[in-house]
Amino acid sequence: MSQHNQHLTPDEARQLIDRYFMGETTEQEEARLRTFLCSTDGRAYDDVSATMSFLAVGHRLHRRQPHRVIRSQSRLLRPLAAAATLAAVLVLGVAGWFYHRHHDLCLATVAGHELSREQATELMLTQMHDMFNPANESMP
Amino acid sequence: MRRLMLPLLLLCCIIARAQSDCHIEPLFVKYAVQDNATEVLMSGKALKAYRLRLFHSLEIRMPGDAEVADIERSVRSDARTAICHEQNEQDGRLLYGLYELKSKKKYAYIFYRYTPARVTLIYLQGPATVEELRAFFKK
């Protein structure tokens, strides 16, 4: 406690600043350094004061609880999202396969003009008949 | 969205692979819009009686030499890997061909017929055998 309140000399302060940026200071020493920087003697170290403030804010933000919660939630959701994507792809694939296999389609076009279902069916039968009976071709 | 890209790309590849397993496929798109062309596309109930799933035909009346050569080339490309049930040629020109495409779980056929008046190309898919098709359509 007494050490905390002890006033730092400029030399001691310089040493502490060096150690601070080397990451070697304890919390108590950092507290003493902050006290010094806020004092009249510390005005000569405005650049150090600004850097320490900036780092302190960053450190505080990094340790904020909500961030951790969000990150852990996203970690939990990641496999769920992957599973949902896979399921959606499978469902689309199966639906597409069923549609392709069972979809009723009956269309014929002559010179780009669409014919009726009956005409399409008739054309199909005629073409198949001609294919298997080339001698008696039915179409003109 | 980036996570969806790979599965969607795979799905597209699977669908594209299923649709483009023969060389004649692009011919339907290429020639069906011509004034002298007739295209028929059927699937589903209308074909159930013939044990077919898909019927796709293209007929070109009074075809030009380039058209015939193009279609014949594609048919011959598919015929190379198919079982040939019937084939007639005259002076190097393919007049008639009936081919069964090799497929694991389905039957697929290509019929080709050329006369100076018309060239007909038919693609069939379904569980019907050639004998069954003959029985259905030969009189």
Side-chain angles (χ1 to χ4, degrees):
Chain A
M1 193 68 187
S2 57
Q3 195 184 12
H4 183 266
N5 292 332
Q6 198 177 357
H7 192 69
L8 282 174
T9 63
D11 283 343
E12 285 173 334
R14 173 51 59 191
Q15 282 175 4
L16 261 185
I17 288 165
D18 289 342
R19 286 180 58 220
Y20 174 80
F21 285 114
M22 296 289 283
E24 292 172 354
T25 46
T26 63
E27 283 189 13
Q28 283 180 339
E29 285 172 330
E30 286 172 21
R32 288 179 67 202
L33 188 57
R34 279 196 295 273
T35 308
F36 171 75
L37 291 171
C38 293
S39 68
T40 319
D41 295 337
R43 283 181 189 165
Y45 300 95
D46 277 350
D47 51 342
V48 177
S49 182
T51 309
M52 281 185 73
S53 305
F54 179 76
L55 290 173
V57 170
H59 191 60
R60 203 176 304 134
L61 285 173
H62 179 71
R63 287 199 305 186
R64 277 173 71 174
Q65 195 64 14
H67 282 261
R68 285 186 180 176
V69 172
I70 289 166
R71 189 179 293 174
S72 63
Q73 278 176 349
S74 74
R75 274 189 195 147
L76 277 174
L77 287 173
R78 211 171 287 169
L80 283 175
T85 307
L86 191 66
V89 168
L90 280 174
V91 167
L92 279 172
V94 171
W97 181 76
F98 264 95
Y99 182 80
H100 180 68
R101 186 165 177 166
H102 301 289
H103 181 55
D104 271 334
L105 197 66
C106 188
L107 59 94
T109 53
V110 178
H113 300 291
E114 203 169 313
L115 303 181
S116 67
R117 287 179 72 92
E118 290 73 25
Q119 287 171 313
T121 308
E122 199 175 319
L123 261 176
M124 184 275 283
L125 291 172
T126 307
Q127 286 177 346
M128 286 303 286
H129 178 262
D130 288 345
M131 205 49 85
F132 282 104
N133 305 275
N136 46 352
E137 196 172 314
S138 59
M139 283 183 286
Chain B
M1 189 60 198
R2 264 184 293 168
R3 284 180 199 152
L4 285 173
M5 289 301 281
L6 184 63
L8 285 177
L9 195 66
L10 282 172
L11 185 66
C12 290
C13 288
I14 290 165
I15 292 169
R17 176 72 188 86
Q19 287 178 342
S20 63
D21 54 358
C22 56
H23 291 87
I24 60 163
E25 186 75 27
L27 297 174
F28 293 98
V29 181
K30 189 175 177 182
Y31 293 114
V33 289
Q34 287 186 179
D35 285 347
N36 59 344
T38 300
E39 184 190 23
V40 182
L41 178 60
M42 293 176 73
S43 70
K45 286 178 190 170
L47 296 174
K48 211 172 178 180
Y50 308 104
R51 288 174 43 80
L52 290 173
R53 275 202 286 271
L54 180 73
F55 175 93
H56 200 178
S57 75
L58 176 72
E59 186 178 272
I60 301 174
R61 292 174 299 283
M62 304 307 286
D65 282 344
E67 291 167 339
V68 175
D70 189 21
I71 295 170
E72 192 181 311
R73 197 182 315 118
S74 298
V75 171
R76 282 184 189 277
S77 297
D78 283 331
R80 250 180 253 136
T81 55
I83 299 164
C84 177
H85 287 281
E86 272 184 58
Q87 184 171 297
N88 283 339
E89 284 186 64
Q90 195 174 36
D91 301 327
R93 173 136 287 178
L94 185 63
L95 299 181
Y96 181 83
L98 165 51
Y99 311 98
E100 182 183 333
L101 299 176
K102 288 173 186 171
S103 185
K104 283 178 186 171
K105 288 183 180 176
K106 65 188 177 191
Y107 288 98
Y109 302 99
I110 291 175
F111 292 79
Y112 173 81
R113 189 168 175 224
Y114 166 75
T115 65
R118 67 169 63 89
V119 60
T120 310
L121 177 65
I122 299 175
Y123 175 77
L124 293 177
Q125 239 183 51
T129 62
V130 176
E131 288 69 32
E132 284 175 321
L133 291 173
R134 277 190 219 283
F136 285 135
F137 299 106
K138 193 161 187 170
K139 287 185 180 175

